[in-house]
Amino acid sequence: MFRIPTSKRVGIGRIPLEVLGEIFVHCLPVDSDPQHIQELLSSVCRLWREVAIATPALWTSLKITYDPDLRPPLPIIRTHLQRSGTRAFSFKLIAVHSDNPDPDLPTIVLAELAAARHRWCKVHIELSRVTEEILDLITIGDAPLLQSLRCNAGEFEEDLPIPLHTLFQGCPRIELLQWSSFGLQPGPLLQPLSNTQLTSLSLRIGLSILECITLLRLSPCLSSAEFYGLYPSDLSAVPCLTHSRLCNLTAMGGHFTTFLSSLTLPALLNLTAGSLSTPFPIEWDIELSAFLTRSRPTLRELSLSAGEQDSEPALLDILALTPHLHSLSLSFPASSLTAALIHALHPPPPPDAPLCPRLQNLRLRVVSDCPDGLCSAMLRARWGTHAQANKVACLETSRIEVMGDIHECDEEDIEALCAEGMEGELHIWG
């Protein structure tokens, strides 16, 4: 490394070069592209450039956004891999949309990165299409330092399986896996996997209920799981599963209650469930109530969404089983949420116990047949000194969408609540 005698340095130049290198490392952004900072530190003067190049920790992360119509960014990748030495290497690879992309370009770029697969640490890949060759580059081979893998793909080749068992065999330290594709029904075939280190799993690829339960059974340390595109399967040979560590669960698909009916989750804190495109199965609310009764979770957040719904669900029975809720979001067709729900959320006079006494965040979409003034009266009863008198938590945020005529009284009252400090919104659907 180029060195200037200490006696001839002034100011920051008197700092030992090893300390200066550590300062450079602390200049790197946490959540954004580090390349600008890397180039800036390398262009101040010859000494700083030498220090930057000789500091491997400065080059251990890279964001690659490439245009398929241009030449691949191989020189930048090679520079970072060389300067980072033997340290763990993290990268984010994003392909810009192109009308006429080169189908071989992603393979060329990933092959360059796969040469250092044994140093992969945190990997995020976004591609418009995944081929078998690309899938092999991502999943096959040892990556003993890999901690997280996020792969978002527009589509997969037809009938292309995701060999998660191969991935985990070479990645003993992986803790987070996120894999998504736009083709949710049906998704790529999953092969069995077993990983005791995995704590977060998100799969948006269209999964059978049996596959989801199998994944949970073989990942005992999971604390967060997301499954999108659930479709039914034969559960007759599958015993119910109790998972004692799962805290956050997202189950999206028309058969999500069938999935929940095979589970007991006593540690569950946050539940997001529903379907945006298909109606819920008959008696889904009864199945959800049975799941909550069986698991007895201390549920803090509940979000239910339905794209279509034929009848008003027994939401009051479900909410009665979740007294610890801090956040509630209900998104249903206009015929499913009625004024009865607003009435129930209005705290009753003592000594009757209020519904959801700890509620702080509320989102309702879409409420129908709601008299003018009813929404704002419920919100007022859960705000400020009124909340204290009614023995409920004070609402912090609220968003209510109403189907019907203009509700002038509600609008004026909610504007007044916002002026007092509540983050409130009222949307009227004509």
Side-chain angles (χ1 to χ4, degrees):
M1 182 188 299
F2 172 76
R3 292 180 179 270
I4 297 177
T6 305
S7 60
K8 295 185 179 181
R9 299 184 204 159
V10 294
I12 194 172
R14 299 182 65 85
I15 297 176
L17 301 185
E18 292 77 8
V19 176
L20 185 60
E22 286 297 318
I23 294 175
F24 288 175
V25 173
H26 285 281
C27 292
L28 294 174
V30 177
D31 299 320
S32 58
D33 186 2
Q35 188 172 350
H36 172 69
I37 298 298
Q38 294 162 343
E39 294 176 351
L40 181 64
L41 293 173
S42 302
S43 60
V44 173
C45 63
R46 187 166 70 164
L47 175 63
W48 279 34
R49 178 174 176 81
E50 292 285 347
V51 171
I53 292 176
T55 305
L58 190 64
W59 308 93
T60 56
S61 59
L62 175 63
K63 180 180 178 180
I64 311 162
T65 303
Y66 71 91
D67 189 336
D69 295 329
L70 303 177
R71 296 181 63 182
L74 300 183
I76 297 176
I77 296 174
R78 290 166 183 164
T79 297
H80 279 72
L81 290 176
Q82 180 183 6
R83 293 180 180 178
S84 59
T86 60
R87 291 178 175 249
F89 188 77
S90 301
F91 66 89
K92 185 174 184 178
L93 175 63
I94 302 176
V96 178
H97 175 74
S98 173
D99 294 331
N100 298 299
D102 182 352
D104 296 327
L105 184 57
T107 306
I108 295 173
V109 175
L110 268 174
E112 196 73 33
L113 292 163
R117 180 181 173 82
H118 60 285
R119 296 200 282 129
W120 286 7
C121 181
K122 297 178 181 179
V123 175
H124 187 157
I125 300 172
E126 295 187 11
L127 301 173
S128 58
R129 181 173 175 80
V130 171
T131 63
E132 184 173 3
E133 190 172 0
I134 290 176
L135 189 61
D136 289 344
L137 288 171
I138 296 174
T139 60
I140 295 179
D142 291 338
L145 304 181
L146 188 63
Q147 296 178 8
S148 66
L149 173 62
R150 293 177 169 91
C151 183
N152 301 324
E155 59 182 21
F156 285 81
E157 285 187 345
E158 188 176 357
D159 298 327
L160 182 63
I162 299 178
L164 292 183
H165 67 298
T166 303
L167 173 66
F168 284 115
Q169 285 174 0
C171 308
R173 296 186 182 181
I174 192 167
E175 297 177 358
L176 182 149
L177 174 64
Q178 175 183 308
W179 205 293
S180 64
S181 171
F182 298 148
L184 295 182
Q185 295 284 352
L189 176 65
L190 279 171
Q191 299 186 25
L193 64 94
S194 178
N195 186 277
T196 58
Q197 301 297 320
L198 196 65
T199 59
S200 180
L201 177 66
S202 176
L203 297 176
R204 305 184 180 206
I205 51 179
L207 295 162
S208 72
I209 294 174
L210 178 58
E211 286 175 318
C212 294
I213 294 175
T214 302
L215 288 169
L216 291 177
R217 186 184 307 280
L218 297 177
S219 304
C221 293
L222 269 182
S223 61
S224 178
E226 296 181 351
F227 300 117
Y228 287 79
L230 286 167
Y231 58 86
S233 57
D234 182 15
L235 299 179
S236 59
V238 180
C240 291
L241 172 65
T242 298
H243 199 295
S244 60
R245 295 193 180 185
L246 195 64
C247 300
N248 308 296
L249 176 63
T250 297
M252 298 299 294
H255 298 270
F256 75 93
T257 53
T258 306
F259 172 53
L260 293 178
S261 66
S262 300
L263 297 174
T264 300
L265 307 175
L268 192 64
L269 297 176
N270 307 314
L271 175 62
T272 300
S275 174
L276 300 180
S277 58
T278 58
F280 287 177
I282 299 175
E283 298 185 344
W284 69 268
D285 41 10
I286 298 176
E287 292 180 343
L288 180 56
S289 297
F291 163 74
L292 294 172
T293 302
R294 181 174 64 254
S295 297
R296 297 187 178 274
T298 310
L299 207 61
R300 301 296 180 87
E301 297 184 13
L302 176 62
S303 177
L304 298 175
S305 303
E308 299 179 24
Q309 187 60 36
D310 297 330
S311 60
E312 182 177 354
L315 289 171
L316 301 186
D317 295 337
I318 294 172
L319 296 180
L321 297 170
T322 56
H324 302 283
L325 274 187
H326 288 192
S327 179
L328 174 64
S329 175
L330 300 175
S331 179
F332 283 78
S335 60
S336 299
L337 299 182
T338 64
L341 178 61
I342 303 294
H343 274 296
L345 288 173
H346 193 297
D352 293 337
L355 192 67
C356 303
R358 303 184 184 184
L359 196 62
Q360 298 176 357
N361 305 289
L362 176 64
R363 183 180 184 274
L364 301 178
R365 180 184 186 274
V366 177
V367 181
S368 62
D369 302 326
C370 192
D372 190 12
L374 184 62
C375 292
S376 58
M378 181 271 292
L379 297 179
R380 173 68 68 180
R382 288 178 172 268
W383 172 253
T385 56
H386 298 282
Q388 185 176 2
N390 292 321
K391 297 183 179 180
V392 294
C394 182
L395 272 180
E396 297 176 357
T397 63
S398 65
R399 178 186 174 94
I400 299 179
E401 300 181 29
V402 178
M403 176 68 72
D405 298 328
I406 294 177
H407 289 48
E408 295 181 357
C409 181
D410 276 326
E411 288 186 312
E412 293 175 357
D413 288 350
I414 291 179
E415 286 180 3
L417 287 172
C418 292
E420 296 175 18
M422 177 189 286
E423 295 184 20
E425 296 180 52
L426 177 68
H427 294 262
I428 311 297
W429 292 52

